[in-house]
Amino acid sequence: MTKLLLRALAGETLDVPPIWMMRQAGRYLPEYRATRAQAGDFLSLCFNPELATEVTLQPIRRYGFDAAILFADILLLPQALGADLWFVTGEGPRLSTVTTQDDFDKLKQAGEIHDHLAPIYETVRRLSRELPAETALIGFAGAPWTVATYMIAGKGTKDQGPAHALKAENRPLFEALIDRLTEATIDYLSKQVEAGAEVVKLFDSWAGSLKGEDFNRYALAPTQRIISELKTRHPGLPIIAFPREAGAGYIGFGKATGADCVAIDNSVSPRWAAENVQKDGCVQGNLAPGHMVTGGQALVDATREVVAAFKNGPHIFNLGHGITPDADPENVQLMIDTVRGG
Ligand code: CP3
């Protein structure tokens, strides 16, 4: 097993950590913008295996990252379950909402998603053929809570208010939605693995807005169920969990869910995460994405701080959240050179 990413996920402490970046195929890259224009729009790009493969490979060619992440989106799963999905330029995603029993009853069953998602599986198959031998392939899905927040509100929200409201007002319906998403996510990720994904990551971008027992029930428990079922179906499959902004909830999250690696956002210090989270196993993170915009000596210093904090245990170098469209591609190179060159 030579791929650096797989070695870190297996618990090995490496001299130089493997590197990849959330949203590494994205609008900060001119070659991405060109391919997206060729596809027409974002969703057409996601469902075009040839072009989705191309944009996944672009940051690998340019930077030689240690991992490629499938180009797709967490909202393709609700679409496969029957929700309408479109993207409003400059604003973000829009979906038909699920707020009543009637809305819920119209959703497809977990096992019925695969015809719609077949082009995504085809992209994974192409990537597993075309990637360099040293590059690991990561598949992904949104965690049930985060996906539910978009399905309930019909868009992204600052505080996930509509999802919290449904949870308070109609808990059985809310829990039925979480269960349907949990089952569909297991089937979706399982097909990605069969197509060639070597690692899977669960994005729980809004985990931080679940407090107390809600965090355990709707972030931790569904993640645990997905991981245990995936590991039964695919023994040895490494899994990264990202309960973003979980704060103290990061402590013990890997052990409680069975995740091989816990991805850390940049609202916590790397030193704190090393002491409290990395003590249990591999961590991923957590440079602030803003450095990819501002660059300079501050980028170098912050990168060195992350590397130094995590150097005594298994670590995958990444940002604390996705790179933004205003980032400078040269700053990404500076970050990589700093990680690899000291
Ligand atoms: O990381 C990667 O490069 C893989 C591809 C990927 C995308 N989205 C592509 C994308 C992944 C892993 C995601 C995950 C995703 N999508 C999350 C979880 C991670 C996070 O960022 O918190 C969420 C919440 C979404 C939903 C989503 N997709 C939103 C809210 C938006 C609009 C905001 C934005 O950045 O424009 C998207 C669009 C999206 N997904 C883009 C990309 C490259 C931009 C689309 C474009 O080209 O216009």
Side-chain angles (χ1 to χ4, degrees):
M1 188 168 60
T2 52
K3 297 186 187 188
L4 283 182
L5 189 94
L6 301 182
R7 288 170 61 185
L9 285 167
E12 205 178 317
T13 303
L14 297 160
D15 292 337
V16 176
I19 314 176
W20 68 282
M21 241 179 15
M22 285 184 265
R23 290 277 172 100
Q24 62 191 19
R27 286 162 290 181
Y28 74 104
L29 288 179
E31 59 268 37
Y32 170 85
R33 296 196 298 270
T35 309
R36 183 174 174 275
Q38 195 187 335
D41 58 46
F42 173 65
L43 283 175
S44 307
L45 178 54
C46 291
F47 284 102
N48 181 323
E50 187 188 341
L51 297 183
T53 299
E54 166 58 22
V55 293
T56 307
L57 294 173
Q58 284 167 351
I60 308 305
R61 281 189 211 117
R62 188 191 264 256
Y63 299 115
F65 283 118
D66 295 290
I69 183 161
L70 163 69
F71 189 83
D73 195 85
I74 65 165
L75 300 177
L76 306 185
L77 183 66
Q79 192 188 38
L81 285 167
D84 293 328
L85 171 68
W86 66 104
F87 281 79
V88 180
T89 313
E91 290 186 35
R94 295 289 182 275
L95 299 91
S96 51
T97 58
V98 178
T99 55
T100 65
Q101 188 66 43
D102 245 28
D103 298 334
F104 180 79
D105 292 340
K106 290 192 192 112
L107 294 177
K108 294 189 181 158
Q109 298 299 322
E112 296 173 335
I113 59 175
H114 301 305
D115 284 350
H116 184 80
L117 295 167
I120 310 305
Y121 309 141
E122 175 59 20
T123 303
V124 177
R125 274 190 291 275
R126 287 178 187 225
L127 284 167
S128 68
R129 286 197 301 265
E130 292 185 28
L131 277 169
E134 66 275 16
T135 316
L137 177 56
I138 304 173
F140 75 92
W145 158 250
T146 287
V147 175
T149 66
Y150 289 93
M151 293 180 82
I152 295 164
K155 58 182 181 180
T157 50
K158 276 207 174 74
D159 59 358
Q160 298 72 60
H164 285 291
L166 185 69
K167 167 160 63 64
E169 286 154 20
N170 191 346
R171 201 169 278 255
L173 178 63
F174 172 81
E175 292 191 343
L177 180 59
I178 293 286
D179 285 346
R180 179 68 52 84
L181 286 168
T182 301
E183 290 155 16
T185 302
I186 292 165
D187 283 354
Y188 181 37
L189 289 174
S190 197
K191 287 275 192 218
Q192 292 183 29
V193 173
E194 286 165 23
E198 300 170 283
V199 175
V200 298
K201 178 171 174 186
L202 275 171
F203 285 86
D204 213 348
S205 304
W206 301 117
S209 84
L210 289 167
K211 302 297 175 200
E213 195 47 37
D214 277 355
F215 180 84
N216 294 330
R217 277 192 200 151
Y218 306 124
L220 196 150
T223 297
Q224 189 274 333
R225 191 177 153 202
I226 291 165
I227 291 175
S228 115
E229 183 60 31
L230 283 175
K231 288 197 179 251
T232 303
R233 293 191 197 181
H234 312 280
L237 173 70
I239 301 176
I240 304 171
F242 183 33
R244 192 171 73 91
E245 294 192 352
Y250 280 126
I251 302 170
F253 196 82
K255 275 189 174 165
T257 59
D260 301 87
C261 176
V262 179
I264 311 280
D265 73 88
N266 51 282
S267 71
V268 299
S269 83
R271 218 158 288 281
W272 179 90
E275 271 170 37
N276 293 283
V277 190
Q278 195 189 32
K279 69 175 172 52
D280 295 331
C282 187
V283 292
Q284 175 180 286
N286 72 341
L287 183 69
H291 286 295
M292 298 302 105
V293 181
T294 52
Q297 190 59 40
L299 179 162
V300 172
D301 292 346
T303 300
R304 287 189 180 140
E305 190 189 331
V306 171
V307 171
F310 293 123
K311 76 175 187 333
N312 295 320
H315 175 219
I316 298 166
F317 190 94
N318 205 308
L319 304 178
H321 200 194
I323 186 167
T324 50
D326 54 344
D328 181 342
E330 290 191 12
N331 290 333
V332 176
Q333 190 63 56
L334 179 59
M335 169 189 80
I336 294 171
D337 292 345
T338 304
V339 174
R340 292 187 174 155

